[in-house]
Amino acid sequence: MLPEAVAAMADVLAHDFGNPSGVHREARRARALLEDARDRIAAVLGAGPHEVVFTGGGTEAINTALLATGPKSVAWSAIEHDAVRSQAAAFEREGIASYELPVTCHGVLDLDAALEVVADVDVVAVMAVNNEVGTIQPIDELATRLSALDRRPALVVDAVQALTWLDLRPITASSDFLAISGHKFGGPKGVGALVVRNGRKIRPLLYGGGQEQDRRSGTQNVAGIVAMAVAAESTDRARSERVKNLAALRDRFVDELVSTIDRCVETVPRAYKVAGNAHVCIQGVESEELLVMIDHQGIAASAGSACASGALHLSPVLVAMGVPVDDARGSLRFTLGADTTNVDIGDAVAIVRASVAKLRGDRS
Ligand code: PLP
């Protein structure tokens, strides 16, 4: 978490015990903190404060949005996070039509192909930035083309990965529902927000005390929400400088990996991606083995594949992009952060290179 977000959270936890729904002075103070945080988040997102509904994280915001209108049919990009993917599977089990929208080999929504599918659906879900390969999706253009349809579907945008890298204001303006999550931009985990636009009514996921204007019941996590607002503002202010610095570091990192490791390829050209994402495929190694090796040497990375009960599952994102199986098996994702340095990059390249050599050597 950003230090200023930790400080703001600690301050509320230590001094503001009030429940924002109460009537006494303590409660009014908590209410003021909550509404101030709502104003600040709304400003960063380019939304009206009344459009911001606080939730317990990104997954809840996304599920609320998908269920909000009681859809009879939904379409979602083939590279969506499980928060969308699993809800789409649940829809299917309930007999609600669910369509997967194709992406190009660069991990970007194939707009022409998508438009052929979405004409009759109630909800279209496309993320702003992919969590695995870091690709930026054409939300503006999609929204324009959806508006030209006879019956415009509701556009749900999972912007959970986006706020650090992109100004969300134009993306919010293009969407009907937009989800963010505090822990992706220096705030706490378990707190997020759903922006509900264009006067849309929502069917709540949670019923109870009627908080958040009857859109999400349950006492708000005031400390977490205040910290999320502080983190959102800091991130919004620091973005352009950070993007410039991290793009340079990421470029050096990927260039060195690709040029010094045999059969290591960049998965997606950088022009399609956010600055902090480095994603490569290294043939002839299993990413799970490599991850464990580099973890022991202090490098925290992740794979495009997940190991469940010993079986290697290829990432649905890479499969949707048509990445060859041999490449996908050795896929590796690194995320650079505000405190990543040139020295870190040099160390990481050396560790990955040596580990790949060891794994390949162990096999031969
Ligand atoms: N959507 C994307 C793109 C994500 O990367 C994540 C988290 O990793 C989520 C949704 C879920 O957010 P949360 O962990 O806050 O529920």
Side-chain angles (χ1 to χ4, degrees):
M1 279 177 65
L2 293 172
E4 58 270 38
V6 173
M9 189 160 179
D11 199 36
V12 177
L13 289 172
H15 304 295
D16 295 290
F17 184 68
N19 180 334
S21 299
V23 288
H24 46 65
R25 193 184 319 158
E26 286 295 318
R28 289 199 304 277
R29 212 181 121 76
R31 182 96 207 152
L33 287 170
L34 182 69
E35 294 313 321
D36 177 60
R38 196 185 308 279
D39 289 347
R40 292 157 77 177
I41 296 259
V44 169
L45 300 179
H50 60 286
E51 295 177 322
V52 174
V53 178
F54 290 121
T55 65
T59 302
E60 185 193 322
I62 292 163
N63 274 259
T64 304
L66 292 172
L67 291 159
T69 55
K72 300 271 178 296
S73 53
V74 296
W76 42 284
S77 92
I79 56 169
E80 293 302 297
H81 185 269
D82 276 342
V84 170
R85 197 174 277 285
S86 301
Q87 181 57 59
F91 279 144
E92 271 174 41
R93 289 194 295 274
E94 290 159 16
I96 294 169
S98 163
Y99 305 96
E100 187 174 307
L101 304 174
V103 296
T104 67
C105 63
H106 294 138
V108 176
L109 181 72
D110 182 336
L111 271 171
D112 289 332
L115 261 289
E116 284 177 23
V117 178
V118 299
D120 288 322
V121 302
D122 296 327
V123 171
V124 174
V126 176
M127 63 200 338
V129 172
N130 178 260
N131 48 306
E132 224 169 288
V133 290
T135 48
I136 301 167
Q137 303 304 313
I139 300 297
D140 286 6
E141 207 181 331
L142 173 64
T144 305
R145 294 183 65 175
L146 291 181
S147 294
L149 296 174
D150 289 342
R151 199 172 64 92
R152 185 184 182 285
L155 178 56
V156 174
V157 178
D158 168 359
V160 166
Q161 289 281 340
L163 196 139
T164 303
W165 312 110
L166 305 177
D167 178 359
L168 283 189
R169 293 167 185 88
I171 299 175
T172 303
S174 296
S175 65
D176 295 292
F177 299 96
L178 177 128
I180 61 165
S181 175
H183 67 115
K184 301 298 181 182
F185 49 85
K189 294 175 183 61
V191 58
L194 175 66
V195 180
V196 181
R197 295 195 63 255
N198 302 325
R200 296 253 178 197
K201 297 273 173 282
I202 66 172
R203 181 187 286 189
L205 212 59
L206 302 178
Y207 292 94
Q211 288 89 346
E212 299 295 297
Q213 296 186 352
D214 276 333
R215 294 176 293 185
R216 198 280 190 182
S217 284
T219 302
Q220 292 94 340
N221 172 1
V222 179
I225 289 167
V226 167
M228 175 167 72
V230 169
E233 279 182 337
S234 289
T235 302
D236 195 43
R237 263 196 309 272
R239 186 185 298 113
S240 53
E241 191 63 20
R242 177 178 301 168
V243 163
K244 204 167 71 197
N245 294 342
L246 289 186
L249 286 177
R250 188 272 314 272
D251 290 352
R252 179 190 155 202
F253 180 53
V254 176
D255 286 344
E256 290 189 14
L257 287 179
V258 169
S259 63
T260 61
I261 299 175
D262 186 33
R263 287 178 290 143
C264 170
V265 291
E266 194 172 3
T267 315
V268 173
R270 288 160 220 180
Y272 296 100
K273 296 168 54 120
V274 293
N277 177 289
H279 195 285
V280 292
C281 293
I282 307 176
Q283 281 187 4
V285 297
E286 296 288 349
S287 40
E288 299 297 328
E289 286 179 317
L290 184 54
L291 281 179
V292 172
M293 254 177 120
I294 64 175
D295 179 38
H296 285 148
Q297 299 168 82
I299 308 290
S302 54
S305 55
C307 221
S309 52
L312 187 73
H313 294 294
L314 294 180
S315 143
V317 172
L318 300 183
V319 171
M321 290 164 56
V323 172
V325 172
D326 281 350
D327 286 4
R329 291 179 81 90
S331 65
L332 221 50
R333 164 170 61 120
F334 300 86
T335 308
L336 286 78
D339 52 359
T340 305
T341 64
N342 243 313
V343 173
D344 293 334
I345 296 296
D347 290 349
V349 170
I351 288 169
V352 175
R353 191 171 53 212
S355 303
V356 169
K358 188 156 191 303
L359 281 173
R360 283 178 174 159
D362 287 349
R363 288 250 168 70
S364 59

